[in-house]
Amino acid sequence: MPEFWWLQEFLKGTILSCAKPLVILFTHIFQTGMVPSKFKDAVSVPLFKEKGSKHDPSNFRLISNLSSYNKIFERIVKCRLTKFLNDNQIFADNQHGFRNKRSCQTALTVFSQFVHDKLDEKKKVLALFVDLKKAFDFVKQTFN
């Protein structure tokens, strides 16, 4: 159970009385650009990847649990950012990740339709697929 379980339960029971102070806090963060240091604190837990030896550290990935306040703030930022990107038509039409009503399935549907259309036009189609499994294992990690 996460270290902040008690905070989540507390928030569920007091959300109405917490709403106004949170609005004030989040508005202050947006206006000043200064995020409280407590928002950056996390409880990190290694999670086994289900393959390989449990004695090999490379078979674990690190999960960081943030506070409930931080999660609420992140959701607000995501909503605002997504709205801005949609309103200003910044997303490419063929981007399916991180968009409402789009998913891997919609991306595959669009791709399949493209392939079928080109084949119907008697054109050649070439596709390159890259397996990025364990890609993040190769990213250089730096810690402060």
Side-chain angles (χ1 to χ4, degrees):
M1 185 171 266
E3 180 179 328
F4 300 110
W5 66 269
W6 56 270
L7 182 58
Q8 292 170 345
E9 292 303 314
F10 172 77
L11 283 176
K12 286 178 190 175
T14 59
I15 192 66
L16 293 177
S17 58
C18 289
K20 188 172 181 175
L22 288 177
V23 167
I24 293 168
L25 172 64
F26 296 155
T27 301
H28 179 74
I29 293 170
F30 280 118
Q31 289 173 343
T32 64
M34 295 176 60
V35 178
S37 61
K38 285 290 181 189
F39 274 33
K40 300 171 189 174
D41 289 347
V43 176
S44 298
V45 179
L47 186 66
F48 184 58
K49 294 181 181 179
E50 302 295 330
K51 290 186 180 178
S53 169
K54 288 190 176 186
H55 300 291
D56 183 359
S58 67
N59 292 327
F60 289 83
R61 60 187 170 116
L62 201 57
I63 302 295
S64 295
N65 294 318
L66 299 168
S67 76
S68 298
Y69 295 120
N70 188 56
K71 290 177 185 180
I72 294 168
F73 182 68
E74 283 181 358
R75 183 163 293 199
I76 292 168
V77 170
K78 178 188 176 275
C79 289
R80 285 185 174 197
L81 184 59
T82 302
K83 182 177 178 351
F84 174 82
L85 294 172
N86 283 327
D87 290 352
N88 292 287
Q89 299 176 344
I90 295 173
F91 280 126
D93 190 48
N94 60 355
Q95 179 175 335
H96 289 260
F98 309 104
R99 294 189 67 183
N100 291 336
K101 300 181 182 174
R102 295 196 183 198
S103 64
C104 291
Q105 188 172 356
T106 59
L108 286 171
T109 302
V110 170
F111 174 73
S112 296
Q113 188 62 51
F114 173 81
V115 170
H116 286 287
D117 291 347
K118 294 303 173 190
L119 292 175
D120 287 345
E121 296 170 14
K122 307 287 188 217
K123 295 188 176 180
K124 294 180 182 176
V125 179
L126 175 68
L128 174 67
F129 298 94
V130 180
D131 182 3
L132 298 176
K133 184 172 72 175
K134 290 201 167 198
F136 289 103
D137 292 351
F138 297 100
V139 176
K140 182 179 178 185
Q141 295 182 6
T142 55
F143 298 96
N144 293 335

